[in-house]
Amino acid sequence: MSQSSFDDEELFGEAATEMRAEVEDALAEAWRALPDPDDVWDVDADNTLGVLNALKGALDTGDATEQLREAKKQFVIGQRADAFEDAGDLEAEIEELESLLGDIETAHEEASDLASTLPGLRGALDDAVDDDSE
C-alpha cells in the first residue's frame, strides 16, 4: 500500500462518514421499531381490563429504545470528535425520537397503572354493592 492511502484527513473523513451512516441507520431502525399506530388505536377485547392489557402490549417500544441508544452513542462520539460537518439534523431527529419514545413509555406506564388498579377497584365496588344490598 502506498503512503497516500493512510492520509489522516482522508481516514478521518471516511470514519466520520461511516459514523454518520451508523447514526442514521440506528435512527431508521428505531423509527421502524416503534409501535404500529393501528395496534395502539384498534383493540379487540371483551372488557376494560382486556383493552388496557392490549394497549400495554401495543405500547411496547421493543427495540426502538435500544436503537435510539446506539444512535446517541455514535452521535455523541462523532460530535465530541467534531466529526460531523453539520450535526443539526441528526440532533433534531434524536430529540424528536427521544420525545416520542418518552410519550409512549409514559402512556405504557399509565395503562399499566390503570390495569393494575381496575381489578381492585372492581372488587371494592362489588363489595360496596353487596354491603348496600344487605
Side-chain angles (χ1 to χ4, degrees):
M1 271 189 168
S2 68
Q3 189 67 18
S4 65
S5 64
F6 291 113
D7 178 49
D8 287 349
E9 286 301 314
E10 184 179 327
L11 291 173
F12 185 80
E14 285 179 34
T17 300
E18 290 170 5
M19 189 172 290
R20 182 179 183 89
E22 288 176 16
V23 173
E24 290 170 346
D25 290 346
L27 286 171
E29 287 295 320
W31 287 112
R32 281 191 289 274
L34 289 175
D36 183 276
D38 290 337
D39 292 343
V40 172
W41 193 252
D42 299 327
V43 177
D44 183 26
D46 295 329
N47 57 45
T48 305
L49 187 57
V51 169
L52 291 170
N53 284 328
L55 182 59
K56 283 184 347 185
L59 291 171
D60 181 12
T61 58
D63 291 336
T65 302
E66 186 57 35
Q67 290 298 324
L68 176 60
R69 181 177 170 76
E70 287 303 312
K72 285 182 74 171
K73 284 192 314 190
Q74 292 299 319
F75 178 77
V76 167
I77 291 169
Q79 193 175 40
R80 287 190 182 166
D82 200 22
F84 305 129
E85 288 183 24
D86 179 23
D89 61 329
L90 293 176
E91 188 169 23
E93 187 174 357
I94 287 170
E95 288 173 3
E96 179 183 4
L97 184 55
E98 198 167 38
S99 176
L100 180 56
L101 280 171
D103 291 345
I104 294 168
E105 289 168 358
T106 297
H108 183 272
E109 289 170 11
E110 290 173 356
S112 295
D113 290 346
L114 194 52
S116 66
T117 302
L118 278 182
L121 179 59
R122 180 177 183 201
L125 289 170
D126 283 342
D127 291 346
V129 169
D130 289 344
D131 290 346
D132 190 43
S133 298
E134 295 174 3

